[in-house]
Amino acid sequence: NPRMTTYEVILKHTERIVFWACNPLVTADVNAATPLHNHAGYFRALKKKGIKTYSVNPLVTDTAAYMNSEWIAPNPGTDCALMAAMMYELEVTGKADHAFLAKYCSGWEEMKKYLLGEEDGVKKTPEWAAEITGVPAQKIRAFAQDLAAHRTMIMFGYGMQRAQYGEQTSWMVVTLAAVLGQIGLPGGGFGTRYQSASAGSPVSNGPIMSGLPGSPKPVRPVLPWKSTKLLPVAAITEVLERPGATVDFDGQKCTYPDIHLVMWGGGNPFCHHPDTFRLERAWKKPDTVIVADYVWSATARHADIVLPACTTFEHNDITNIGAETNDGLVAMKQVIKPQYESRSDYWIGTQLAKRLGIEEAFTEGRTEMQWIEKFYNDCRNNGARKGIVMPEFKDFWEKGYLFFEVEEKDREFVSFKTFREDPKANSLGTESGLIQIYSPKLASYGYDDCKGHPSYFEPIEGSAKATKEYPLAFVSPKSRYRMHSQLDNVNTARRGSVEEREPVWMNPADAQVRGLKNGDVVLVKCRRGACLCGLQVSDRIKSGVVSIQHGAWFEPENTPAGRIDVHGNANTIAIDVITSKIARGNVSSTGNVEVSLWKDEVPPVRIFNQPRRVNAVK
């Protein structure tokens, strides 16, 4: 992810902002490492200045509503078709920046053949895209021409990536920005992280605090490994179902291991994995499942052994301020003693290492507090090499925080500025060192779900695949009330619930046809399973599309309608296919559903209740 152009620059130079599947006023505040919460001030300034904004999304986000953005609502999974048509329009009207494409990009000629239909016989015209996206051809033309006529910043989020063929969308946005020719200009180009943490704020001059290595070497001989060591996390269900299977993965072959024991900490696959009922079945295959957590998450409830971990209030730690901007450091001091039988993750890891005979190799002779001091002092030494003076650890710990300074030049940072000034001296980390519109490397893989250039592929479910049984397309955006599934068990999440269930958004026209009204408890059903939701009728979502926000805790129950999730977990609906063979990423926003009134007795929501009895093992 490249560093973002600052909002200070955007406020001075940008004339058009496109929020493409991007909702920063929500996601930037619920994301990790976001203690400053400074996006609101920037957006007040953007609104006051009157910069015209667009929102490309099947629903009107909170950001779009606040900014009064012009709404362009493509069918889910069709963003690439929309962008291809915009580039076609710019090319045939002479608005494509050929000088930029020639000097700073590699592969435009191959991409142009795709757009003009010379590759597959299909011209990617606005009329072609209108049939696919549901966006009128004239609106596509006007959108493209307006962006070309003004200094434009395209801010795009991760939502459209979390769909089948999701990698294509990011690649296509970069290509569209290249055709506009504004990459590296003040206030122009694209940004991949404006929806996350403090991105867009100026980056400090402080040193980066590192942590433990992500891939430690084995400290003793291990049994011969009969599979690939690196596995895509989105493949966990398939890994459990098909041990020994070999699949394509980013130009290589990936062989699944035969897993007999799972230990899961710091995550919640029963939140992030699609087709959750399929995962539930696969999860029974390992001999033993161990989960370390501080709440009774759905994953913990599907474990054989649960190791009660501390919350951040029950042990000491240290963290950066601002994942994107490195604003400083915070001493996360212990507030209370570990409650009941809970222990810190480090204590749990140390005790496991001790019983495996590798305690010294694991701890390196350090206590938890000594590791914290080491991380700080390593950062302090790196700062000293840059001429930055940081206090002694004991002084930092006593004060509790440290802010790094922001230099004036960093307030005026322009993404890709140095690349534009000299693309040879400041080459990119791509095959050509330029913006890679066509990749010979990817083309050589011969994959059927990823060409050498960004392309539109029709998803196997979505608006184009509507049937009488499942006529509605499904999307799953972030919730304003939680981070993924974190904090779904606290009172703030209840503010957005309907009859204690996650809401499903539906357009008034779709609700009227089905005889549904706001506040109804409804069954959302797909080919894979079903869940109960509370209906929220709104004209902020496109007709033919429904939305369930991601992260409600999975609560399966046997009901008259079969085994369903009674709380509104969106991933019970999402289809479990890979994004593509390149990344094998997870899918959370691809599916077809039908929504109907729940006529039986409404099951109680019990997922947040504590178990009546726990067998503690000393």
Side-chain angles (χ1 to χ4, degrees):
N1 287 305
R3 183 175 165 187
M4 304 295 96
T5 296
T6 63
Y7 279 110
E8 281 88 341
V9 173
I10 290 172
L11 282 162
K12 292 177 182 177
H13 299 282
T14 302
E15 298 171 308
R16 298 289 184 268
I17 296 175
V18 182
F19 302 116
W20 206 305
C22 183
N23 188 15
L25 283 181
V26 167
T27 57
D29 270 349
V30 301
N31 218 316
T34 317
L36 297 183
H37 298 277
N38 53 0
H39 271 65
Y42 286 128
F43 275 79
R44 282 192 290 267
L46 291 171
K47 186 172 184 178
K48 183 178 180 180
K49 189 172 181 183
I51 297 173
K52 180 177 174 59
T53 64
Y54 291 91
S55 179
V56 185
N57 205 306
L59 53 87
V60 177
T61 65
D62 288 356
T63 303
Y66 175 75
M67 295 297 294
N68 195 28
S69 304
E70 183 173 334
W71 185 26
I72 296 177
N75 293 323
T78 66
D79 302 84
C80 282
L82 175 58
M83 286 184 270
M86 293 171 68
M87 286 185 274
Y88 177 94
E89 167 70 11
L90 296 174
E91 174 64 21
V92 299
T93 60
K95 299 297 178 60
D97 193 330
H98 290 149
F100 182 89
L101 292 166
K103 185 175 182 179
Y104 299 102
C105 303
S106 175
W108 170 244
E109 290 303 316
E110 288 84 352
M111 185 66 187
K112 186 168 68 172
K113 290 178 181 178
Y114 170 73
L115 297 175
L116 299 181
E118 297 172 13
E119 177 186 302
D120 57 8
V122 179
K123 293 182 178 181
K124 310 307 181 291
T125 64
E127 285 75 17
W128 165 83
E131 291 293 321
I132 296 169
T133 65
V135 179
Q138 190 51 43
K139 191 164 191 174
I140 297 173
R141 288 192 173 90
F143 185 30
Q145 293 293 342
D146 192 44
L147 300 192
H150 296 89
R151 184 64 57 86
T152 297
M153 174 61 72
I154 304 176
M155 302 179 179
F156 66 100
Y158 294 161
M160 60 183 176
Q161 291 179 209
R162 291 173 175 148
Q164 192 180 21
Y165 312 115
E167 296 86 3
Q168 300 298 318
T169 53
S170 300
W171 197 2
M172 193 73 86
V173 169
V174 175
T175 305
L176 173 59
V179 172
L180 292 170
Q182 299 180 24
I183 297 172
L185 294 178
F190 68 93
T192 62
R193 298 275 289 177
Y194 283 108
Q195 82 289 355
S196 175
S198 300
S201 302
V203 176
S204 79
N205 64 355
I208 303 294
M209 184 180 66
S210 58
L212 294 170
S215 301
K217 295 180 180 180
V219 297
R220 70 179 191 184
V222 296
L223 294 173
W225 191 253
K226 297 180 181 180
S227 65
T228 309
K229 291 186 177 180
L230 180 65
L231 297 170
V233 69
I236 182 62
T237 296
E238 190 178 20
V239 168
L240 295 174
E241 290 176 339
R242 302 175 59 207
T246 298
V247 297
D248 291 306
F249 180 27
D250 196 17
Q252 303 178 40
K253 296 293 182 180
C254 174
T255 302
Y256 295 152
D258 186 4
I259 293 178
H260 291 267
L261 184 146
V262 172
M263 181 169 180
W264 207 288
N268 188 5
F270 277 84
C271 166
H272 69 66
H273 202 84
D275 196 351
T276 318
F277 284 109
R278 181 184 170 196
L279 172 66
E280 184 184 42
R281 294 189 294 271
W283 203 251
K284 298 175 182 178
K285 296 198 172 185
D287 300 324
T288 307
V289 174
I290 305 168
V291 170
D293 211 330
Y294 64 90
V295 292
W296 283 102
S297 67
T299 303
R301 292 164 192 259
H302 286 81
D304 300 296
I305 300 171
V306 176
L307 303 177
C310 289
T311 66
T312 56
F313 304 109
E314 296 169 283
H315 69 104
N316 291 315
D317 210 335
I318 188 170
T319 189
N320 289 301
I321 305 174
E324 305 293 334
T325 50
N326 194 37
D327 298 290
L329 304 174
V330 170
M332 300 172 65
K333 298 181 182 181
Q334 181 179 356
V335 178
I336 58 175
K337 293 180 179 180
Q339 299 295 291
Y340 309 105
E341 296 179 313
S342 66
R343 297 291 185 269
S344 72
D345 291 291
Y346 186 71
W347 186 94
I348 292 171
T350 299
Q351 293 303 311
L352 289 172
K354 181 179 181 179
R355 287 155 175 76
L356 291 170
I358 56 173
E359 181 180 2
E360 179 62 27
F362 177 78
T363 66
E364 296 184 9
R366 295 186 181 92
T367 64
E368 188 169 296
M369 197 65 196
Q370 287 170 335
W371 273 110
I372 293 170
E373 186 170 356
K374 172 180 164 51
F375 294 149
Y376 178 86
N377 285 332
D378 288 348
C379 182
R380 183 169 181 258
N381 293 335
N382 290 335
R385 286 190 281 270
K386 297 173 62 176
I388 297 172
V389 178
M390 293 170 57
E392 295 279 350
F393 176 75
K394 62 181 179 62
D395 297 324
F396 157 75
W397 194 258
E398 181 178 349
K399 185 176 181 180
Y401 64 91
L402 170 67
F403 279 103
F404 299 134
E405 293 184 0
V406 174
E407 297 178 0
E408 195 58 36
K409 65 179 179 62
D410 290 312
R411 298 186 185 278
E412 300 294 324
F413 181 80
V414 175
S415 188
F416 295 101
K417 178 183 177 182
T418 56
F419 170 71
R420 189 175 185 117
E421 290 171 347
D422 191 338
K424 291 184 178 180
N426 303 292
S427 61
L428 308 177
T430 62
E431 295 166 69
S432 62
L434 303 172
I435 297 169
Q436 202 77 39
I437 296 176
Y438 176 85
S439 168
K441 181 179 180 181
L442 287 183
S444 71
Y445 297 164
Y447 290 163
D448 59 359
D449 55 8
C450 183
K451 300 179 181 180
H453 56 73
S455 311
Y456 168 68
F457 294 92
E458 184 177 274
I460 61 173
E461 289 194 20
S463 298
K465 302 296 184 179
T467 64
K468 184 177 181 180
E469 187 177 10
Y470 302 111
L472 300 167
F474 159 79
V475 293
S476 179
K478 287 282 188 70
S479 169
R480 76 180 74 161
Y481 298 110
R482 57 180 175 258
M483 168 63 171
H484 296 304
S485 66
Q486 297 173 53
L487 302 183
D488 190 46
N489 58 322
V490 301
N491 288 335
T492 54
R494 305 287 76 75
R495 298 175 188 172
S497 65
V498 178
E499 297 291 333
E500 298 185 286
R501 277 146 247 277
E502 191 65 23
V504 54
W505 282 24
M506 176 180 279
N507 185 274
D510 297 325
Q512 184 178 17
V513 167
R514 291 162 176 80
L516 301 174
K517 65 182 185 300
N518 203 53
D520 283 341
V521 175
V522 294
L523 181 71
V524 184
K525 186 177 181 181
C526 70
R527 296 174 178 88
R528 294 161 291 283
C531 64
L532 286 185
C533 292
L535 187 66
Q536 189 162 325
V537 179
S538 174
D539 57 7
R540 285 176 54 177
I541 189 165
K542 182 175 184 174
S543 180
V545 181
V546 296
S547 167
I548 306 174
Q549 293 175 327
H550 167 74
W553 284 17
F554 176 62
E555 185 175 3
E557 293 283 353
N558 295 318
T559 72
R563 188 163 175 79
I564 67 172
D565 172 78
V566 301
H567 184 221
N569 178 274
N571 274 345
T572 60
I573 303 301
I575 189 168
D576 190 4
V577 295
I578 59 173
T579 52
S580 76
K581 298 182 180 72
I582 293 296
R584 304 194 77 88
N586 75 308
V587 168
S588 61
S589 282
T590 300
N592 286 105
V593 304
E594 180 56 295
V595 179
S596 59
L597 182 68
W598 180 259
K599 297 180 181 179
D600 293 305
E601 182 179 350
V602 179
V605 173
R606 297 176 293 188
I607 188 65
F608 305 122
N609 299 342
Q610 297 297 307
R612 289 180 297 174
R613 172 179 155 183
V614 176
N615 294 319
V617 179
K618 298 293 185 182

